[in-house]
């Protein structure tokens, strides 16, 4: 199985959605909890955050596409907080706005920051071959060295590792089984390179699985402990952790579901909250909250985690590679003349995005309880949130609009 994250497809869908303009809202669910709101301070006297559009974007949950949505828009242009949907389908009680969730590939932002911080300390050379630190890792099929930087920006040429299967059913059957990162890497390396390192960009989890191994080798401690020491703790991320082989989400959390079509043509929503994600590890195993991910964005983009020279790696797309959009841990896109750097994540039951302008004038973090989180198309609820969050509302002259919230 080719284990590839859907960030490329998601970003393309996001850009297309933003370019297409407003989407039609689904019919309201009669029993759906209303989107809730509370006052939130604004950092700008004339906010350009469209609170009405954001509130409308998450109205009507749960629906066929999502069971819940947790949203935080921030930055110097204004702030907004919102949540809608349910904690679980059985009880129907309102979604917890402070809930933990599987953050998927946003884990890569933490991994990249940890590696870059080690580089700032002189413990990792980004230009060095990964085999300097992990001798014998790639083996005889790899004739060209793969550098640490090429792993960070997905130009390594290493092929994807194998998982439990291609279908949801295959993977669901193994949801409590453990596939170790070492097994994933071994299955990738035996295939040999997909292309010469540095010649193409191919976004794959395997690059960050190997970076997790690098962190452990250089520090002599576990990935989880070092990612926490180097990134989570300095960013103030108190509710974020790495579960390893534990299939549970510790602490308050909303349930995740996968929409499945049964043999008789009816639809079933399968609870996928409990799942052993050990194979995703440094590429996608993190559990977090929207508040913590917002703290990560603020601390990282403002230079409080990674020093300036190394931080530039996170805002630099490799030159000379057609179609390249990925940097170290992030992805670049433009909308309405603004440059954004983002990262998406998708694990069954949960879709996550973090995005921000480099100057932190606008930030966006959301977690959507997607019922098809690994599908080919971007979740419609997530599209509506992105449309509402990244559009720039023009404040009326003399406006002192303070932002509301839907928590």
């Amino acid at each position: 199985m080719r284990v590839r994250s859907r960030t490329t497809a998601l970003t393309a869908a996001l850009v297309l959605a933003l370019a297409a303009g407003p989407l039609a809202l689904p019919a309201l669910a009669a029993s759906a909890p209303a989107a809730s709101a509370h006052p939130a301070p604004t950092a700008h006297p004339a906010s350009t955050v469209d609170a009405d559009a954001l509130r409308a974007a998450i109205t009507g949950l749960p629906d066929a596409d999502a069971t819940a949505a947790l949203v935080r828009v921030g930055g110097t242009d204004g702030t907004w907080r919102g949540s809608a949907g349910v904690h679980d389908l059985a009880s129907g009680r309102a979604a917890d706005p402070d809930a933990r969730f599987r953050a998927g590939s946003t884990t890569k932002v933490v991994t990249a920051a940890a590696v870059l911080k080690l580089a700032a300390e002189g413990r990792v050379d980004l230009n060095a071959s990964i085999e300097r630190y992990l001798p014998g890792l790639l083996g005889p099929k790899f004739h060209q060295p793969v550098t640490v930087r090429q792993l960070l920006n997905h130009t390594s040429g290493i092929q994807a590792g194998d998982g439990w299967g291609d279908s949801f059913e295959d993977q669901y059957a193994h949801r409590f089984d453990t596939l170790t990162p070492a097994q994933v890497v071994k299955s990738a390396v035996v295939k040999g390179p997909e292309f010469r390192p540095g010649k193409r960009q191919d976004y794959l989890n395997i690059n960050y699985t190997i970076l997790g191994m690098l962190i452990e080798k250089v520090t002599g401690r576990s990935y989880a402990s070092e990612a926490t020491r180097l990134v989570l703790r300095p960013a103030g991320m108190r509710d974020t952790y790495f579960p390893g082989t534990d299939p549970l989400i510790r602490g308050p959390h909303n349930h995740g579901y996968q929409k499945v079509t049964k043999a008789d043509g009816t639809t079933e929503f399968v609870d996928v909250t409990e799942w052993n994600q050990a194979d995703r590890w440094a590429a996608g195993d993190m559990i977090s909250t929207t508040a913590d991910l917002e703290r990560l964005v603020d601390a990282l983009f403002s230079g409080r985690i990674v020093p300036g020279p190394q931080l530039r790696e996170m805002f630099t797309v490799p030159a000379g590679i057609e179609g390249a959009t990925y940097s170290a841990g992030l992805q670049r896109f433009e909308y309405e003349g603004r440059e954004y750097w983002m990262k998406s994540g998708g694990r069954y039951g949960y879709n996550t995005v973090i995005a921000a302008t480099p100057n932190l004038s606008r930030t966006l973090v959301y977690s959507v309880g997607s019922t098809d989180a690994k599908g080919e198309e971007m979740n419609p609820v997530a599209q509506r949130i992105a449309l509402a969050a990244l559009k720039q509302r023009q404040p009326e002259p003399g406006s002192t609009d303070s932002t509301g919230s839907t928590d």
Side-chain angles (χ1 to χ4, degrees), residues 118-287:
L118 291 172
E121 296 172 356
R123 303 175 73 181
V124 170
D125 181 351
L126 301 184
N127 294 313
S129 167
I130 188 61
E131 295 232 337
R132 175 194 293 185
Y133 306 100
L134 299 166
L137 176 75
L138 299 183
K141 291 185 179 180
F142 287 80
H143 303 297
Q144 301 293 328
V146 172
T147 69
V148 176
R149 179 177 284 107
Q150 288 165 345
L151 291 166
L152 282 166
N153 63 26
H154 300 281
T155 60
S156 71
I158 301 171
Q159 297 197 55
D162 294 335
W164 292 117
D166 293 321
S167 70
F168 166 72
E169 290 75 17
D170 289 340
Q171 296 179 57
Y172 184 74
H174 291 280
R175 67 192 183 279
F176 296 125
D177 298 333
T178 297
L179 185 62
T180 68
Q183 289 174 302
V184 174
V185 172
K186 183 177 180 180
S187 71
V189 168
V190 73
K191 300 173 187 177
E194 180 183 12
F195 55 85
R196 185 174 178 176
K199 296 301 182 182
R200 285 168 46 192
Q201 189 172 71
D202 191 6
Y203 176 93
L204 292 172
N205 287 334
I206 193 65
N207 295 299
Y208 278 69
T209 303
I210 294 173
L211 289 172
M213 297 171 71
L214 167 67
I215 291 168
E216 292 199 333
K217 185 61 179 290
V218 168
T219 65
R221 291 179 288 271
S222 72
Y223 165 80
S225 64
E226 285 303 286
T228 300
R229 180 182 70 85
L230 293 167
V231 182
L232 303 192
R233 196 172 298 137
M237 300 170 71
R238 298 179 295 273
D239 293 311
T240 300
Y241 73 100
F242 305 93
T245 60
D246 185 356
L248 305 179
I249 300 177
R250 301 198 303 264
H253 61 277
N254 301 317
H255 286 232
Y257 296 87
Q258 172 67 23
K259 181 169 53 179
V260 176
T261 302
K262 299 169 68 174
D264 61 3
T266 60
T267 299
E268 178 184 12
F269 292 91
V270 178
D271 192 319
V272 292
T273 309
E274 296 183 5
W275 202 301
N276 179 346
Q277 307 279 343
D279 61 315
R280 304 300 161 147
W281 198 41
D285 187 34
M286 187 168 70
I287 288 173

Side-chain angles (χ1 to χ4, degrees), residues 318-329:
I321 299 179
E322 184 179 357
T325 60
Y326 295 100
S327 63

